[in-house]
Amino acid sequence: PERVDVAALARAVADASVRLGANVEVEAAGETETPGRARAIRRCLANLIDNAAAHGDKVRVAVRGEADAVTVS
């Protein structure tokens, strides 16, 4: 697997959603690079953000680098 910056992917997906009219904010903290498949992680983030935008007025995405993981909420 390649090194993937999950926060950067989340920002890119959020930017695309904002251009379509969604209200999306991304907050990142810590080291957000992790081994993985960028396309798969991007698709997961797009599903998460798109579903949240469809069912809410404001979307907040938090990406946190932890000792042995990167979490998204």
Side-chain angles (χ1 to χ4, degrees):
E2 61 192 288
R3 296 289 297 171
V4 178
D5 186 341
V6 179
L9 286 179
R11 287 187 188 102
V13 171
D15 289 347
S17 292
V18 167
R19 284 192 295 277
L20 296 174
N23 184 354
V24 184
E25 294 179 5
V26 175
E27 175 187 312
E31 176 55 56
T32 62
E33 276 196 11
T34 189
R37 295 186 345 243
R39 278 183 71 186
I41 294 170
R42 178 185 291 273
R43 188 170 50 249
C44 180
L45 291 166
N47 288 338
L48 175 74
I49 291 170
D50 291 347
N51 287 338
H55 298 286
D57 296 325
K58 186 172 188 173
V59 179
R60 290 187 181 156
V61 180
V63 182
R64 301 269 186 262
E66 303 186 16
D68 59 350
V70 175
T71 61
V72 178
S73 60

